[in-house]
Amino acid sequence: MVLFLFLVIALVVVVGAVTLAVIGGGESGALPDAAPERFTDPLPPDRPLRRADVDAVRFPMTLRGYHMAEVDDVLGRLGAELAERDARIAELEAALAGAQATAVAGRALFEGYEPRTAEERKGDDQ
């Protein structure tokens, strides 16, 4: 019987403590509502992205994680810029390969070529 009385008193104390904690029976009162976070796009629209720009991106948290549309927009922008850079790199590599081929083949183009003499050039002018 003593054990039963002890368990009832312990149960009343626990329920009372939980009730006070939920109601907020302290000096501070209830917590204020948090302002909803809004995504501010830190990516510059007027220049190519840099590493620091990407590092500065922070998405606000929602109940289930992040806003999918905001993440999709940023990833789309990053993907477009990476594709543009890849195309530019390919273009520059092709130009470099062409310049190197011309430089190597340029010497062979003049083999067997003998400059014309002044008399031969005069003959062409007449």
Side-chain angles (χ1 to χ4, degrees), residues 63-102:
L63 182 63
R64 300 176 81 191
Y66 297 106
H67 287 284
M68 238 188 317
E70 293 170 351
V71 175
D72 289 344
D73 290 344
V74 171
L75 290 177
R77 167 97 189 268
L78 289 173
E81 290 221 9
L82 287 174
E84 183 179 322
R85 286 182 186 174
D86 288 346
R88 180 71 177 143
I89 288 171
E91 177 185 328
L92 292 173
E93 286 176 343
L96 178 63
Q100 287 174 339
T102 302

Side-chain angles (χ1 to χ4, degrees), residues 8-20:
V8 170
I9 292 172
L11 181 64
V12 170
V13 170
V14 170
V15 169
V18 170
T19 303
L20 285 176

Side-chain angles (χ1 to χ4, degrees), residues 3 8 31-32 39 48 53 58 64 67 71 82 93 107 116 118 121 125:
L3 184 61
V8 170
L31 292 175
F39 178 68
D53 297 329
R58 295 289 178 260
R64 300 176 81 191
H67 287 284
V71 175
L82 287 174
E93 286 176 343
R107 295 184 199 122
R116 296 187 305 173
R121 282 183 284 206
D125 292 340

